[in-house]
Amino acid sequence: MLIAAAGPAAGSAEASGSKIALELTLGLFFGAVLPLLVSGLVRFQLLGAEPKLQPLLALATGVILYAACHLTHANPYLAAFSAGAVLASVSPESKRAFEPLGEALAELAKFAALLVFGALLTPQLFGDLPWGGYAAVVLAIVLIRPASLLLSLIGTPFDRREKLAAAWFGPKGFASVVYGLLVLQSGIPRAEEAYTLIAVCIAFSIIAHTAARTSPWPVCSVSTTWSASRTGTRPGPTTPPKRTELSMRARDLAVEYETVTVDTDALAAARLMASHRLPGLLVLDGQGAPKAILPASQMIRMLVPGYVLEDPALAAVIDEKHADRLCAALRGRTVGACLPPKAPAPPVAAPDDTALEVAALMAQQRSPLVAVVERYKDGTATLLGVITAAHLLDRLLDAAPPTSPTTPTP
């Protein structure tokens, strides 16, 4: 709407209020109706998607949606947003199936946009921006965005340092790069000047926030001190300061954990998982450094015959006698042979990482384990322990305020 309000695009394009309203309405309509239609059609037995092709259902829906918006000049961004919300609500299984593929496609799209954006950041672009533009960039980064965030945080339970950290570092996202490219290709008057201002602001923001994050001064760190520092009182002898769970470091959360090497017998590793009820095992290389995580689900996958993985319906024809012999598939195998061909390296936390940093790392990589490794200047490293998702969740819940007792419903 802001781009349209800036003026009509080049050529014979219109930017009237009624036309904008029609495009937005059509986008919302297509985004709500098309997922409902697709969800209803795939419920028919003849039109249902194959399990291994299930991730492509949401992708095909998006392609059809974009084509419909292109033919009718509906707003594709509003259509995509509403379609994603509707599809996730009416078909959660499609959402779960598409999520890994969707994240990969999103990363590829962001990489492509960043590549284009970075190619346009030339020395001439910085030279074309007048001094007034640089003043606007500094005001936007230092004053306008932090002030708006601080206003939105009024009344929240965060302390002063937490509010300052939130106002300085966030929220940030990829949308600013996309909006800048949209302005550049929109054809509105002075689009290149607007893009120059946006691009310089994004570049300066990246530099400023990266420098602040790696700065040795704890200007923007989140305060985890005793709450008396905010009230002006000091705890007495009977109320010693309590260290909150969020202030604990990874070294405090790490515990001893069962590890194996790539040469460990696979059947022995499976028995180790079963006896200790472990969600996975940490696999070490020859030097004792974390190499990969072997989830219990991957070990179970090794037990299932390949033809059953291709067609799960065949599992019903396998008798119990044959099912009891599935573990024979692990005999003679090593842990290295059970790892996926491109097993990612396990998430590794530094000893001084906070509990929240460990939680973010675990969530981003969807790993049930995080290894805590001490690295030395000579290039060597020592495994201090492992933080499991269950252990971290238990410590985070301990830091949460107690809930009020409720009366169970009969």
Side-chain angles (χ1 to χ4, degrees):
M1 293 182 66
L2 291 175
I3 292 176
S12 58
E14 299 178 4
S16 62
S18 59
K19 184 176 180 60
I20 296 174
L22 178 61
E23 292 178 354
L24 296 177
T25 303
L26 285 176
L28 186 61
F29 173 78
F30 286 133
V33 172
L34 185 60
L36 292 175
L37 179 62
V38 171
S39 179
L41 289 176
V42 297
R43 297 182 188 277
F44 291 99
Q45 186 174 1
L46 295 177
L47 299 177
E50 290 289 334
K52 61 183 178 181
L53 299 179
Q54 187 74 16
L56 299 179
L57 177 63
L59 179 62
T61 303
V63 172
I64 296 173
L65 179 66
Y66 182 79
C69 292
H70 182 72
L71 292 174
T72 59
H73 301 287
N75 188 286
Y77 307 102
L78 185 59
F81 182 83
S82 55
V86 173
L87 188 62
S89 299
V90 300
S91 182
E93 63 277 4
S94 297
K95 170 184 174 293
R96 289 191 294 268
F98 177 71
E99 197 167 8
L101 176 62
E103 289 186 354
L105 292 176
E107 293 301 321
L108 285 175
K110 288 197 288 187
F111 174 76
L114 283 173
L115 187 64
V116 174
F117 177 78
L120 295 174
L121 288 178
T122 61
Q124 181 180 357
L125 181 139
F126 288 93
D128 291 340
L129 187 67
W131 288 110
Y134 282 100
V137 167
V138 173
L139 287 175
I141 296 175
V142 178
L143 180 61
I144 297 176
R145 191 178 73 169
S148 61
L149 262 295
L150 287 174
L151 287 176
S152 66
L153 293 174
I154 293 178
T156 59
F158 303 115
D159 62 22
R160 181 179 62 86
R161 292 177 65 86
E162 291 171 333
K163 290 180 180 179
L164 290 175
W168 175 250
F169 283 110
K172 301 187 297 295
F174 188 73
S176 55
V177 176
V178 178
Y179 294 153
L181 295 176
L182 285 177
V183 170
L184 183 62
Q185 61 88 37
S186 64
I188 63 174
R190 306 179 69 178
E192 293 186 4
E193 297 180 30
Y195 172 78
T196 300
L197 181 62
I198 295 172
V200 173
C201 187
I202 294 174
F204 276 42
S205 176
I206 293 174
I207 296 173
H209 294 104
T210 303
R213 180 176 175 80
T214 58
S215 172
W217 299 284
V219 177
C220 298
S221 62
V222 179
S223 175
T224 54
T225 55
W226 176 245
S227 59
S229 63
R230 301 196 302 267
T231 59
T233 61
R234 295 184 177 274
T238 59
T239 58
K242 179 183 178 181
R243 193 178 189 187
T244 63
E245 301 301 331
L246 289 179
S247 69
M248 295 190 71
R249 303 295 175 176
R251 68 171 72 250
D252 304 319
L253 299 171
V255 296
E256 292 185 3
Y257 196 81
E258 300 293 342
T259 60
V260 294
T261 67
V262 292
D263 297 324
T264 302
D265 181 70
L267 194 56
R271 290 196 175 105
L272 185 62
M273 284 186 189
S275 61
H276 292 276
R277 301 292 192 270
L278 300 177
L281 291 173
L282 182 63
V283 183
L284 306 180
D285 60 13
Q287 287 72 38
K291 176 181 177 61
I293 291 177
L294 179 60
S297 58
Q298 176 65 19
M299 192 66 78
I300 293 175
R301 181 183 178 89
M302 299 298 299
L303 304 178
V304 181
Y307 58 86
V308 176
L309 293 176
E310 290 292 332
D311 189 357
L314 295 177
V317 302
I318 300 178
D319 56 15
E320 293 296 328
K321 183 182 296 186
H322 183 77
D324 292 340
R325 296 197 297 268
L326 290 178
C327 287
L330 295 179
R331 291 197 180 99
R333 290 177 177 265
T334 63
V335 168
C338 296
L339 292 172
K342 297 182 179 179
V348 175
D352 291 330
D353 286 351
T354 64
L356 193 56
E357 288 177 310
V358 174
L361 180 63
M362 189 175 290
Q364 288 173 350
Q365 301 197 22
R366 297 184 179 181
S367 173
L369 310 173
V370 170
V372 182
V373 175
E374 178 82 59
R375 301 188 186 276
Y376 304 102
K377 294 182 179 180
D378 59 358
T380 59
T382 301
L383 177 66
L384 300 183
V386 170
I387 303 174
T388 65
H391 180 58
L392 178 60
L393 183 61
D394 180 65
R395 305 303 289 268
L396 294 176
L397 290 176
D398 286 343
T403 57
S404 58
T406 57
T407 303
T409 57

